[in-house]
Amino acid sequence: MPERTDPPGLSNGVLLRLAFRNVRKSARRSILTASAMTLGLALLILSRTLADGAHESWIDQGVRLGAGHVAVQGEGYQTSKSLDDLLSAADLDGAVEALGSPQFESRVSAYAPRLTAPGLASSTGSSVPVLLTGVDPAVEVEFSPLDDLLAEGRYLEPDDRLAAYVGEGLVRRLGLRIGSRFVVTAADADGQIQGQLLRVRGVFRTGVPDLDQSLVHLPLSTAQDWLGTRGGVTSLAILMWSSRTAAAARRELRDLLPSRGVEVLTWTETAPELEAAVKIDDLGDWVFHGITLAIVALAILNAVLMSVLHRRREFGVLRALGLTANETGRVVIAEGVMLSVISGLLGIALGLGVVFGFWSDGLDMSFLMDQELEISGSLIDPVMVPAFRIAQIGWSLLFILFIGISASLYPARQAARIDVAEAMKFER
Amino acid sequence: MNQPLSVRTVDIWKTFEAEPEPVHALQGISLEVAQGEFTAIAGPSGCGKTTLLNVLGGLTRATSGEVWVAGSDLEALSERRLARLRLEHIGFVFQAYNLLPVLTALENAEFTLLLKGVDRQERRQRVLALFAKLGLEDLEDRRPGRLSGGQQQRVAVVRAVVGAPAIVLADEPTANLDSHASDDLLRMMEELNHELGTTFIFATHDPRVMERSHRLIRLVDGQIESDDVRAPPAGAGSG
């Protein structure tokens, strides 16, 4: 005798048909719920892309003024900050040669050798502590944002010898002007205090008082001769097209460079305070997103639960006709998923539409800022340009689906646990 | 009565917890209903008619006693198996029709067949044959909201019988219909009972239903007061 089998019950096709018809039947409720989800997702996408864009801008500004997305340095320099731990001329050449290989071609935007030392800038009137950076003017213009912030004079040029590019804060403190001479002193590679006469060729203005008072660019060759580094530098700063490729580039460079005497670090190691600032801001954003999405989830929960409570008789009928408790719950979840998918797609379209509106010009937040802002040595651009990533959109969609399904679980449980006899009596 | 049994109950009790004291809606009901019977359960409001139908249909469980439907002991079945037993062996017709508002008349009528996995062609064939018999031609694509009460109840009857269940439980099926529609509906159910051998059990106040039933069980205070068999079940004479 053949074994008796149960009928198949609720197929996915019937489930989807019921869900779609119910969503369509309660059009007003569905539209209101979907609107909440659509706006929530659009807000999430806009907010995430703007935050990502802003963070990428912070990182970009920070690494351009700092040690790059990836820095090749002498071993131990990151902690000692001493000219005892220089990157030798031979290691510098080796690193430059490695960067010329095809594997970096598409990812590396620019690289610049730098010799950085803390020192003192003095004129006849006063002295100010500064951060002296010897740069190669030919490559630095591709790298640093300082040449674009020119207030007076000009940036350094390859033929310059005793030239300096300084901030307007320093000019004011030392009573300088274009063409003025001043003296910088710093400890050289042998630990001896050495002085160097420089002439002001250009003045920049970042708007950040600390930067305008402390940064001094001078020609790399002048700095090397003055500090006796014999062609050595403190770092080879490497700028990537995207900060996300920094970790991979570091791994590959480490494989190509000698393991002794050379360190390859990413910006998260050379500027941990910048990474912390990005993470803290991100955390704040996600708390905000969490609150927004919790409100959206409650709106969905309310709408779906009300729908279930108003349809007790209908769920009772489904159970009477032979649906199991689980199948009845699945009908409710399918409605939540359907609403979420429709809202998710609309939300993505709306979010991307708004993002596209800010794509070229960005969102100008300068009206909120009295003066230029700086975080961890990074200038904050008041214009937030969104950064679009496919993965981010995918995650946002998954997130809204998760919320839609989660918010449907309790109503689904209520529908599944319905007392059929009571539910049928309910509408009498 | 030589027909196989559709329903057998042994000393069933159903008690609802209530204040100040529990309500005993069914008090020791023992009953046998053979296949093909056209039975009415009558009695005053609150006598336990609907509760008895709910227990027989597995919509609620008896507090004690045995309930056998189509050879299965309902009290021994899990909720899932009970749901599947309803799907396979029990059809329901409700006072309020209870069609699914988002489905058309045709989709409502074929719903249980869909759940049973019957293919589309056979579903349509079976439903349309019954639609033709019950005068529902050309109404297949209408939603319940665009059908009269009588039409909705006829669709509900098709839904109840199209899967050839062992038993159809009808709770006050004529309560919301006028006399003409009630007569039509009863005539149709009599025909289905006669032609398909489907067992019908009605809970009713309606004298017309009582008059046309082959067996009339009267309940009072959750107990059987009388059980009057007036005619043999459909198909009893043929076999």
Side-chain angles (χ1 to χ4, degrees):
Chain A
M1 189 173 166
E3 191 177 330
R4 187 173 158 279
T5 54
D6 270 347
L10 190 65
S11 68
N12 288 335
V14 180
L15 179 72
L16 289 176
R17 191 192 306 176
L18 275 178
F20 177 71
R21 299 265 182 96
N22 277 315
V23 167
R24 195 177 60 180
K25 176 182 164 244
S26 311
R28 190 162 47 181
R29 184 163 48 208
S30 298
I31 288 169
L32 283 172
T33 310
S35 299
M37 296 176 79
T38 299
L39 287 175
L41 183 59
L43 187 63
L44 179 68
I45 287 174
L46 176 64
S47 174
R48 284 314 312 163
T49 51
L50 282 174
D52 281 352
H55 293 159
E56 195 64 25
S57 167
W58 294 6
I59 295 165
D60 186 69
Q61 293 284 329
V63 300
R64 282 174 184 273
L65 279 173
H69 288 113
V70 179
V72 181
Q73 299 179 162
E75 190 175 4
Y77 175 76
Q78 183 57 29
T79 46
S80 73
K81 299 292 181 193
S82 162
L83 297 189
D84 291 340
D85 299 313
L86 286 172
L87 182 69
S88 70
D91 287 336
L92 174 62
D93 290 344
V96 169
E97 189 180 342
L99 287 172
S101 64
Q103 69 194 92
F104 295 110
E105 197 176 338
S106 61
R107 286 178 291 165
V108 172
S109 161
Y111 49 87
R114 286 172 178 169
L115 177 58
T116 302
L120 203 62
S122 309
S123 67
T124 50
S126 78
S127 296
V128 177
V130 290
L131 188 66
L132 299 151
T133 305
V135 298
D136 178 349
V139 294
E140 198 64 26
V141 292
E142 302 293 323
F143 205 117
S144 170
L146 284 188
D147 63 303
D148 294 330
L149 300 171
L150 181 73
E152 198 179 355
R154 61 167 174 81
Y155 188 63
L156 303 178
E157 290 179 352
D159 293 337
D160 283 339
R161 179 81 188 117
L162 301 177
Y165 186 61
V166 299
E168 65 176 8
L170 186 65
V171 165
R172 198 164 40 246
R173 285 286 299 273
L174 297 184
L176 305 173
R177 60 177 189 274
I178 296 295
S180 294
R181 289 180 297 178
F182 67 106
V183 174
V184 288
T185 53
D188 68 10
D190 296 325
Q192 303 297 312
I193 301 296
Q194 300 288 351
Q196 176 68 54
L197 187 68
L198 298 173
R199 189 182 295 274
V200 177
R201 288 295 180 205
V203 178
F204 62 83
R205 178 172 55 236
T206 65
V208 180
D210 281 354
L211 298 178
D212 287 346
Q213 193 171 293
S214 64
L215 292 183
V216 176
H217 277 194
L218 65 155
L220 178 62
S221 56
T222 304
Q224 285 173 320
D225 291 346
W226 164 44
L227 299 173
T229 63
R230 290 178 286 280
V233 296
T234 50
S235 75
L236 176 66
I238 303 164
L239 191 66
M240 313 296 294
W241 287 113
S242 165
S243 65
R244 295 175 207 290
T245 60
R250 177 186 61 172
R251 270 197 310 276
E252 293 165 33
L253 267 175
R254 271 183 174 167
D255 292 341
L256 293 170
L257 297 178
S259 57
R260 292 188 133 216
V262 177
E263 271 182 348
V264 185
L265 305 169
T266 63
W267 67 273
T268 59
E269 293 160 308
T270 55
E273 66 287 353
L274 178 57
E275 187 198 22
V278 170
K279 280 185 172 171
I280 289 168
D281 192 63
D282 242 351
L283 181 65
D285 281 349
W286 279 111
V287 169
F288 169 69
H289 299 329
I291 293 169
T292 306
L293 292 172
I295 293 169
V296 170
L298 286 175
I300 298 165
L301 173 64
N302 179 57
V304 179
L305 188 59
M306 291 304 289
S307 163
V308 167
L309 295 178
H310 278 112
R311 289 159 56 203
R312 282 170 55 86
R313 183 171 61 90
E314 190 180 319
F315 291 116
V317 172
L318 289 174
R319 293 291 303 281
L321 294 180
L323 256 64
T324 64
N326 277 344
E327 287 169 336
T328 311
R330 276 172 54 206
V331 172
V332 176
I333 291 178
E335 289 175 27
V337 169
M338 195 161 281
L339 263 182
S340 302
V341 169
I342 294 169
S343 311
L345 295 174
L346 288 174
I348 285 176
L350 181 63
L352 290 183
V354 178
V355 166
F356 185 74
F358 291 123
W359 201 265
S360 53
D361 298 332
L363 178 61
D364 190 350
M365 306 291 283
S366 56
F367 66 95
L368 293 174
M369 300 181 181
D370 291 338
Q371 60 176 38
E372 297 295 323
L373 283 181
E374 174 251 2
I375 292 179
S376 308
S378 169
L379 287 171
I380 302 301
D381 189 341
V383 179
M384 298 168 76
V385 179
F388 172 78
R389 282 190 293 139
I390 290 284
Q392 189 69 264
I393 305 303
W395 278 114
S396 300
L397 184 58
L398 280 180
F399 207 57
I400 207 79
L401 274 179
F402 172 75
I403 283 175
I405 293 169
S406 303
S408 304
L409 286 179
Y410 178 69
R413 188 161 172 265
Q414 293 298 103
R417 294 174 57 159
I418 211 161
D419 181 326
V420 184
E422 278 297 313
M424 307 305 276
K425 198 194 292 178
F426 186 73
E427 292 287 331
R428 293 273 170 88
Chain B
M1 202 182 283
N2 297 322
Q3 290 289 89
L5 292 179
S6 287
V7 171
R8 185 165 78 95
T9 70
V10 181
D11 192 26
I12 53 171
W13 286 70
K14 179 67 182 178
T15 303
F16 294 103
E17 294 304 323
E19 294 294 338
E21 55 187 23
V23 175
H24 301 292
L26 299 178
Q27 302 182 47
I29 301 279
S30 293
L31 181 67
E32 291 185 348
V33 178
Q35 187 180 316
E37 280 196 21
F38 201 72
T39 298
I41 299 171
S45 291
C47 72
K49 300 186 298 289
T50 295
T51 303
L52 179 57
L53 244 56
N54 286 342
V55 169
L56 297 181
L59 300 182
T60 189
R61 292 190 186 265
T63 307
S64 67
E66 294 176 27
V67 183
W68 294 79
V69 173
S72 294
D73 178 3
L74 300 196
E75 300 310 306
L77 296 180
S78 67
E79 286 300 325
R80 181 187 160 76
R81 299 283 307 176
L82 195 56
R84 289 300 185 247
L85 180 126
R86 284 198 294 269
L87 174 58
E88 282 195 286
H89 298 297
I90 303 173
F92 290 94
V93 179
F94 303 98
Q95 176 183 345
Y97 325 131
N98 285 345
L99 298 177
L100 295 170
V102 294
L103 301 182
T104 64
L106 179 72
E107 289 167 337
N108 263 290
E110 68 174 9
F111 192 75
T112 55
L113 297 180
L114 263 171
L115 298 180
K116 287 179 174 180
V118 175
D119 70 59
R120 178 188 165 88
Q121 192 181 357
E122 188 181 342
R123 285 196 319 260
R124 295 291 152 107
Q125 203 173 354
R126 284 161 71 171
V127 169
L128 291 177
L130 286 168
F131 267 35
K133 182 182 281 295
L134 301 192
L136 292 168
E137 304 100 323
D138 302 329
L139 300 177
E140 295 92 345
D141 296 327
R142 287 201 192 174
R143 295 278 170 88
R146 295 189 58 225
L147 295 172
S148 70
Q151 289 166 336
Q152 287 189 60
Q153 197 60 301
R154 276 181 277 162
V155 173
V157 169
V158 175
R159 179 177 69 183
V161 302
V162 73
I167 177 173
V168 171
L169 302 172
D171 190 5
E172 306 276 12
T174 57
N176 287 338
L177 303 180
D178 59 32
S179 59
H180 181 68
S182 294
D183 282 338
D184 279 352
L185 189 76
L186 283 169
R187 181 176 45 76
M188 289 162 198
M189 290 199 278
E190 281 172 337
E191 283 176 21
L192 293 169
N193 167 254
H194 186 72
E195 291 170 17
L196 304 176
T198 307
T199 307
F200 281 84
I201 300 178
F202 303 89
T204 187
H205 279 109
D206 188 341
R208 285 165 300 196
V209 178
M210 295 181 219
E211 280 167 19
R212 295 168 81 151
S213 62
H214 305 162
R215 181 181 177 187
L216 179 62
I217 298 169
R218 288 191 181 276
L219 288 189
V220 174
D221 296 335
Q223 294 176 312
I224 295 177
E225 185 192 57
S226 65
D227 186 351
D228 178 18
V229 179
R230 303 160 180 175
S238 61

